[in-house]
Amino acid sequence: MSAQSISVGPPTVFDGLQGKLDDLKSSGLYREFTPCSYLAAEPGYAMHQGRRIQVWCTNDYLGMSQNPQVMEAQIASTRRHGTGNGGSRNIAGTSEAHVELEARLATWHRRPRALVFTSGYVANFETLTTLLAAVPDMVVFSDSLNHRSLIEGIRSSKNRRHVFPHSDVDALEELLSQYDRDQPKLIVFESVYSMDGDIAPISRICDLAERHNAMTYLDETHAIGVNGPTGAGVCEEIGEYRPTFVQGVFGKAVGTTGGYVAGPDAALDYVRSHAPGFIFTTTIPRSSLDATRASLDVLQGGQGAALRGALKENAVRMRTALHRAGIDFIDAESHLVPVLVPGGERVKAVSRRLLNDFDIYVQPINYPSVAKGGERFRVTVAPFRTQEQIDGFVRALRICLDDA
């Protein structure tokens, strides 16, 4: 039976959505998804429609999802504990691994408590919505380039809020100075901003917070595993431990799945007791948590330090190759390499050509993830990439850009 012949009942108000989808497609903003099944035996490669392709846009920055130690930990845990946890955290879903991992994360970030969520998005959204609802007179100050999970967590509350220009400390101070010292205040920002690859002035923002008696909520998503002597993020790298809350994820450099927030004991205990997205959802399987713990064993030791060094070295190699090829990119501070390809249709055309003709997959980034005219590729160069692969990627990109 074809899709068109399947009956879905009488017409509904949703039938009009097709026109909106058609408008989205005609504007070039319709999102297309490229199926790719990663190959554990060949890091950096995946299968796509029967073809072996290179992936240059993964968030698995260090290749930890294919690390033998991490994979074996998940396989062994699955054999012992099964494929799921069978419940929410408060109904038969809290494993010993949850408890041990949360304690480990709290220690890692030098915070009294940590709370593990099913994803980084959920961690941000649920923590912010719950705490802001609990303190309705809290005024929120949000960086203009914050991730959607932070934006939606703030928007869902009725709290007064201000958006300050990206990493503009002077503008933030001007906003903070409008409020009495005793007024509850929360500054929400990120350490590494993924679309530009820049790093926030964390210590200067913490100085402001102290001066104006404000709390801080720092999203370290793109820095966890990548920055710091043991991979605890930019704060560890610069020796800055003043942020009130630190959020991190497992689904990027750690190579597994899930997210967390570390911070004050009472605040996170309150979130644990009230956040719907924490209470009323099935938990991460024990096997995935055991894989996460194995990944942290690697990342916090000498092997992790070597991987971080290789990642940063490869990012420099990529920037050097792009510069030599005359390709426009943002020379960022982090391991991320944003390659600028302005034009919604152009960036998609270049992406398609790379995939179809060169077996290279890099996802086009366009509005609303970035402003119109700021379309780009967010290129990542994992530690296992060779100079030959980097040069091959840049050559193919130069050809596709010239023809687009």
Side-chain angles (χ1 to χ4, degrees):
M1 181 180 292
S2 67
Q4 287 91 351
S5 65
I6 297 175
S7 174
V8 293
T12 71
V13 293
F14 299 116
D15 292 344
L17 295 182
Q18 186 58 54
K20 295 181 182 294
L21 288 170
D22 293 339
D23 291 341
L24 201 61
K25 292 176 181 178
S26 64
S27 70
L29 299 178
Y30 183 76
R31 293 183 182 271
E32 298 175 356
F33 299 95
T34 301
C36 54
S37 300
Y38 294 98
L39 300 171
E42 298 181 85
Y45 287 88
M47 294 304 296
H48 168 70
Q49 298 178 347
R51 297 157 48 207
R52 178 173 166 272
I53 63 172
Q54 285 189 24
V55 181
W56 287 85
C57 54
T58 178
N59 288 334
D60 186 9
Y61 300 132
L62 301 173
M64 291 303 295
S65 69
Q66 287 115 26
N67 179 280
Q69 186 174 328
V70 177
M71 291 191 294
E72 286 303 318
Q74 182 148 0
I75 292 167
S77 182
T78 298
R79 289 193 177 119
R80 182 173 185 183
H81 301 291
T83 58
N85 262 15
S88 61
R89 286 292 297 269
N90 65 316
I91 304 178
T94 294
S95 67
E96 292 172 332
H98 281 92
V99 177
E100 293 169 6
L101 180 57
E102 286 175 341
R104 181 173 184 171
L105 293 168
T107 300
W108 200 28
H109 291 288
R110 302 189 185 184
R111 300 298 187 281
R113 182 188 282 262
L115 205 57
V116 168
F117 296 80
T118 52
S119 74
Y121 192 106
V122 173
N124 277 336
F125 182 83
E126 293 296 324
T127 301
L128 287 170
T129 56
T130 302
L131 292 179
L132 292 177
V135 189
D137 60 338
M138 177 89 73
V139 181
V140 185
F141 304 83
S142 176
D143 189 286
S144 62
L145 293 188
N146 274 343
H147 188 265
R148 193 74 182 190
S149 58
L150 298 169
I151 294 170
E152 293 301 326
I154 296 167
R155 280 181 178 173
S156 68
S157 75
K158 296 179 181 179
N159 297 61
R160 187 180 305 171
R161 55 186 178 269
H162 298 277
V163 177
F164 61 91
H166 177 54
S167 290
D168 190 331
V169 178
D170 292 335
L172 175 58
E173 180 160 33
E174 185 175 342
L175 290 170
L176 288 166
S177 64
Q178 297 174 16
Y179 295 90
D180 293 338
R181 181 174 175 79
D182 293 336
Q183 173 77 47
K185 295 176 285 290
L186 180 68
I187 306 168
V188 182
F189 65 114
E190 302 179 42
S191 59
V192 176
Y193 286 85
S194 64
M195 291 305 160
D196 289 347
D198 60 318
I199 298 175
I202 298 174
S203 291
R204 293 180 64 197
I205 291 175
C206 288
D207 289 343
L208 278 186
E210 282 191 347
R211 193 150 61 242
H212 293 274
N213 195 31
M215 291 183 289
T216 47
Y217 186 104
L218 177 63
D219 181 326
E220 287 255 43
T221 288
H222 294 277
I224 297 300
V226 173
N227 293 85
T230 69
V234 176
C235 279
E236 183 188 42
E237 186 168 86
I238 64 176
E240 178 60 81
Y241 295 98
R242 287 180 291 173
T244 315
F245 298 92
V246 175
Q247 184 264 10
V249 298
F250 309 137
K252 291 182 170 55
V254 178
T256 58
T257 187
Y260 65 91
V261 177
D265 184 70
L268 291 183
D269 198 9
Y270 184 89
V271 172
R272 184 192 71 88
S273 302
H274 289 84
F278 180 84
I279 299 170
F280 300 111
T281 190
T282 302
T283 67
I284 300 172
R286 167 73 190 255
S287 59
S288 183
L289 296 174
D290 285 337
T292 297
R293 295 196 294 165
S295 182
L296 291 180
D297 288 341
V298 174
L299 294 175
Q300 292 174 343
Q303 186 179 347
L307 288 170
R308 285 187 284 277
L311 174 67
K312 292 173 183 177
E313 184 178 341
N314 271 351
V316 171
R317 287 175 174 173
M318 176 61 79
R319 294 185 187 107
T320 300
L322 291 169
H323 178 72
R324 287 174 177 167
I327 296 173
D328 196 12
F329 66 96
I330 298 175
D331 194 0
E333 304 169 76
S334 71
H335 57 288
L336 300 167
V337 186
V339 176
L340 300 176
V341 188
E345 287 301 325
R346 183 169 185 249
V347 72
K348 291 169 73 172
V350 172
S351 176
R352 283 193 298 267
R353 175 90 188 278
L354 283 168
L355 183 61
N356 293 336
D357 294 357
F358 297 94
D359 293 330
I360 288 173
Y361 170 45
V362 58
Q363 181 69 21
I365 307 294
N366 51 20
Y367 181 84
S369 297
V370 293
K372 292 180 180 179
E375 291 81 10
R376 67 198 61 186
F377 297 132
R378 188 180 63 184
V379 177
T380 55
V381 198
F384 48 75
R385 290 295 184 194
T386 65
Q387 185 67 56
E388 182 181 4
Q389 289 175 331
I390 292 170
D391 291 340
F393 170 83
V394 172
R395 280 196 301 271
L397 179 58
R398 181 70 274 174
I399 291 170
C400 296
L401 287 171
D402 288 342
D403 294 343

